[in-house]
Amino acid sequence: MSQISIILPTFNVEKYIERALQSCINQTFKDIEIIVVDDCGNDKSIEIAKDYANKDERIKIIHNEKNLGSFASRNIGVFNSNADYIMFLDPDDYLELNACEECVKVLDNNEIDLICFNYNILDIVLKKKYFFIKNSYDINEYLKFLAKKIVDANLYNWSMWTRVFQKQKYLKTFEKIKINFKLTMAEDALFVALYYLECKYIITLDKSLVNYNIQNINSSTKERKNFEKMQFFVENLDFVIYKLNLYSSTLNTMYFLLCQCFICELCIHKFDLKYRLVYGNFIKKTIIKLKRKMIKIKRRKYIKQLAMELK
């Protein structure tokens, strides 16, 4: 059985998927499984993946019956995986060739629930983004680390593609979400926050192991000129905010305050979308601006409370 399953939710990425697959199959650590989840795009992405699968038996292709979005596709990939640990890669991004090796070094020596690592931003040139330091934590120490990042610099990192998850704990977290519609906004923030409830021990690496491509104009985060899609994004954010509120009191005070900080960030983003949806309506725009200011005040209050908890 492979030690790590790399899951690629795939939709209309023919320009990039070959690079992503090359970064997987050429990993310096070879005992991996590569799962491509076909999310019913209309380009040649899956044909390219099939060509690679014919040459490398570690590659498995799963076909969705209809377009479900990256969150559902990731979960389908996990359900069909065989490794104890899971890593995600969006096919417009690519891994450093030693990514799996660096993570397995940690897995070989520790029984842990989560590994976190840094990433590079791929634009015209690669720019390193440092968030994590090299360290090991129990869950309470890790929450304090996150709190200090918010208090000192208002920094967050909730991307699923900068982490390695323990499969059984991943499945338990998925059960908490219980979703029956497409989730495309803030799904990483929701899942990662709820996954912490399953964690006892976490290791962070200071290395940048994945390259995040911000050049892909087809990314869902850039589809914000369509009012119908923006309304859908608002509904997604409402669901994520509801779930985070639902579980925010289930661990300790630090976790509650972190969740509330996350929620405030998502609410600000939601009001930004709503502001654009009420184009031309001065009264509604004014109300939205006032609500946004109130949320920013509430966020400052929670950050102050986090600072007090850190003392």
Side-chain angles (χ1 to χ4, degrees), residues 92-103:
D92 48 351
D93 304 334
Y94 64 98
L95 295 171
E96 290 294 308
L97 296 184
N98 64 336
C100 292
E101 181 180 0
E102 292 297 329
C103 294

Side-chain angles (χ1 to χ4, degrees), residues 129-131 146-157 262:
K129 296 293 287 187
Y130 291 109
F131 185 88
L146 294 180
K148 195 170 189 313
K149 285 287 187 179
I150 293 173
V151 169
D152 290 348
N154 197 35
L155 289 176
Y156 299 81
N157 182 307
F262 295 164

Side-chain angles (χ1 to χ4, degrees), residues 72-252:
S73 295
R74 285 171 179 165
N75 296 326
I76 288 168
V78 174
F79 294 142
N80 286 275
S81 65
N82 294 302
D84 289 333
Y85 289 90
I86 305 295
M87 178 185 290
F88 297 103
L89 178 66
D90 291 342
D92 48 351
D93 304 334
Y94 64 98
L95 295 171
E96 290 294 308
L97 296 184
N98 64 336
C100 292
E101 181 180 0
E102 292 297 329
C103 294
V104 168
K105 285 179 185 176
V106 177
L107 294 177
D108 283 346
N109 297 313
N110 300 274
E111 197 167 313
I112 61 170
D113 304 312
L114 182 66
I115 304 171
C116 307
F117 48 82
N118 294 313
Y119 65 98
N120 301 314
I121 289 180
L122 175 62
D123 195 356
I124 298 172
V125 295
L126 279 178
K127 301 175 184 177
K128 294 185 181 297
K129 296 293 287 187
Y130 291 109
F131 185 88
F132 299 108
I133 60 174
K134 186 176 182 179
N135 212 340
S136 59
Y137 306 89
D138 64 29
I139 184 59
N140 293 321
E141 292 168 340
Y142 181 76
L143 294 177
K144 288 178 181 178
F145 164 78
L146 294 180
K148 195 170 189 313
K149 285 287 187 179
I150 293 173
V151 169
D152 290 348
N154 197 35
L155 289 176
Y156 299 81
N157 182 307
W158 47 42
S159 54
M160 293 178 70
W161 39 266
T162 58
R163 289 167 167 83
V164 175
F165 300 90
Q166 204 277 334
K167 179 179 176 179
Q168 293 307 314
K169 294 182 185 297
Y170 182 101
L171 295 174
K172 288 180 181 179
T173 303
F174 179 73
E175 284 298 310
K176 291 184 176 71
I177 296 175
K178 294 180 181 177
I179 190 169
N180 58 5
F181 59 90
K182 187 187 292 188
L183 184 62
T184 61
M185 290 294 288
E187 67 272 25
D188 285 19
L190 174 61
F191 191 92
V192 170
L194 296 189
Y195 187 86
Y196 293 151
L197 298 175
E198 302 297 329
C199 292
K200 291 183 179 179
Y201 301 107
I202 297 170
I203 286 183
T204 58
L205 306 176
D206 58 358
K207 300 178 184 296
S208 296
L209 299 181
V210 65
N211 300 292
Y212 173 54
N213 179 19
I214 63 171
Q215 297 176 315
N216 182 9
I217 61 172
N218 294 319
S219 171
S220 63
T221 57
K222 299 183 181 180
E223 295 177 350
R224 297 195 181 130
K225 294 183 179 179
N226 183 309
F227 281 0
E228 185 177 336
K229 282 190 176 180
M230 281 195 289
Q231 181 58 48
F232 174 70
F233 292 157
V234 168
E235 292 168 0
N236 270 206
L237 289 170
D238 281 336
F239 173 81
V240 172
I241 290 165
Y242 164 75
K243 282 290 185 177
L244 285 175
N245 267 319
L246 184 65
Y247 285 98
S248 63
S249 300
T250 56
L251 187 55
N252 56 31

